[in-house]
Amino acid sequence: RDAIATGTNAPSSVDWRRVATTADRERLRTWRQAWDAALPKARTADPQAIAADGALFDPDRARANAAIPPGAYRCRTYKLGRAGIAGRDFTAYPWFECRIDDEGDVRSLYKRTGSQRPTGLLFRDTEARMIFLGTLVLGDETSPLRYGIDTTRDMVGYVERIGDKRWRLVLPSPRFESLLDVMELVPAG
């Protein structure tokens, strides 16, 4: 549950660029291309769902003060744009439990329930976003792999605030199922 989960000791004022793998820095650099490839496919697959939540599915909707406060959250994931031959161009999952903890210079994010659980650290980047580096915990696994050990499990993304008490974690070019994942986070209480 600490910085070890991402393969770092999370030094003071840690720069996510020094921690991220080369492949993940590239995935983050091409975030716009991932949105541009995924969103039209999702819009064709379920135009009502995409239109009903403009803030969540607008790549340019970020607000200032992206730093998500520690606490319990409800989270749900949307998979946009099918990757490969299986799956759909838009999949909406139900609400699950997530948690944000203060780890000093970084924050941690844990999806606590569900069969695919992103787990990792949130690094300060700009006023409008935090960078997420982590790994994917699957099924009945009880602990995450170290970041950088298994490229198919490494995750990179960014957190943006899109409402007064609403954030999203955007995962461009995930390794499984989709072209883009968007996880919505709202306080649990």
Side-chain angles (χ1 to χ4, degrees), residues 144-159:
L145 297 173
R146 285 183 183 263
Y147 177 80
I149 297 294
D150 183 347
T151 58
T152 62
R153 297 282 197 99
D154 287 349
M155 302 183 85
V156 64
Y158 54 92
V159 170

Side-chain angles (χ1 to χ4, degrees), residues 81-174:
R82 174 180 56 229
I85 57 172
R88 301 174 11 187
D89 281 325
F90 181 79
T91 303
Y93 287 94
W95 290 101
F96 289 99
E97 296 173 20
C98 283
R99 176 123 195 114
I100 305 290
D101 287 322
D102 190 346
E103 306 285 351
D105 288 336
V106 296
R107 295 209 171 125
S108 56
L109 180 148
Y110 303 94
K111 184 175 179 227
R112 299 171 55 123
T113 55
S115 60
Q116 296 183 14
R117 299 179 307 280
T119 299
L121 297 179
L122 298 169
F123 298 80
R124 294 183 195 110
D125 188 42
T126 68
E127 178 66 16
R129 76 179 191 179
M130 298 180 81
I131 300 299
F132 172 78
L133 296 175
T135 61
L136 184 62
V137 180
L138 296 172
D140 62 355
E141 295 174 345
T142 58
S143 61
L145 297 173
R146 285 183 183 263
Y147 177 80
I149 297 294
D150 183 347
T151 58
T152 62
R153 297 282 197 99
D154 287 349
M155 302 183 85
V156 64
Y158 54 92
V159 170
E160 297 177 314
R161 188 169 70 88
I162 57 169
D164 289 338
K165 291 185 178 183
R166 191 174 182 215
W167 291 263
R168 68 179 174 201
L169 168 61
V170 178
L171 301 162
S173 307

Side-chain angles (χ1 to χ4, degrees), residues 48-71:
Q48 291 178 329
I50 301 299
D53 203 338
L56 187 63
F57 299 118
D58 178 351
D60 299 315
R61 189 61 74 103
R63 293 183 175 189
N65 194 19
I68 187 169

